[in-house]
Amino acid sequence: MPARMKNPAFVLPDGMKGIGSIFKAVNQGGLSPELQEIVGLRASQINGCSACVHAHTQNLIKAGTSSERIAGVAAWREAPWFSDAERSALQLAESMTRLADRSSEAVSDELWGRAADHFDEKQLAALILVISVTNLFNRLNATIQEPAGAAWG
């Protein structure tokens, strides 16, 4: 089934310019591309965005990430393939993505402290931005019904 329309970020070119600027900033933040993809995959799994789950999975495969790590993202708490830093990033991705599910603060001081133990300020900024942009694209794709594997544009 084709998407309802082209991605709005491409329909309105200034939208893609802004998003491109955010991605440029993220890439200056010092996070590994693999971690960016892993947190993007987790947020996309939570949001049920098949287009983004597919894209993040393909990017991880191309980068040489093991199938165990990719499959383990959905169950990262129990999976043995993630470092403490990656676990704190995945928890941050979940907390930021599940804002409507919260009964207290969105990101607890405990979680923030764990993340700050592993990432400096620039890396935290990049992590927050990449999770936020992933959530933006998840919402765009859900609205326009972008199918998995579809080319953007």
Side-chain angles (χ1 to χ4, degrees):
M1 172 169 82
R4 291 176 169 157
M5 66 178 281
K6 284 173 49 175
N7 188 300
F10 291 102
V11 173
L12 303 172
D14 284 343
M16 199 59 217
K17 286 180 193 173
I19 292 166
S21 293
I22 293 171
F23 279 124
K24 182 179 177 183
V26 166
N27 290 328
Q28 296 169 348
L31 286 183
S32 74
E34 184 181 35
L35 183 58
Q36 292 178 42
E37 295 293 340
I38 286 172
V39 296
L41 176 57
R42 185 65 192 126
S44 299
Q45 289 170 336
I46 292 166
N47 288 322
C49 181
S50 65
C52 290
V53 166
H54 177 79
H56 291 297
T57 300
Q58 291 303 304
N59 290 342
L60 286 163
I61 290 168
K62 287 178 193 172
T65 303
S66 72
S67 59
E68 291 86 5
R69 276 175 62 82
I70 295 169
V73 169
W76 62 267
R77 285 176 180 82
E78 295 81 19
W81 301 288
F82 302 100
S83 69
D84 288 344
E86 290 167 331
R87 290 176 190 285
S88 69
L90 285 160
Q91 180 65 54
L92 184 62
E94 287 190 2
S95 293
M96 289 178 61
T97 300
R98 296 178 190 244
L99 290 176
D101 298 340
R102 66 188 177 150
S103 60
S104 60
E105 59 192 350
V107 175
S108 70
D109 289 339
E110 178 186 354
L111 172 55
W112 184 260
R114 281 196 316 269
D117 286 343
H118 297 288
F119 302 103
D120 65 24
E121 187 174 41
K122 287 178 80 171
Q123 292 168 323
L124 282 169
L127 189 56
I128 292 165
L129 286 173
V130 77
I131 295 165
S132 297
V133 171
T134 300
N135 276 283
L136 167 69
F137 272 102
N138 292 166
R139 283 149 178 77
L140 291 173
N141 289 332
T143 301
I144 65 170
Q145 296 182 347
E146 183 76 40
W152 286 352

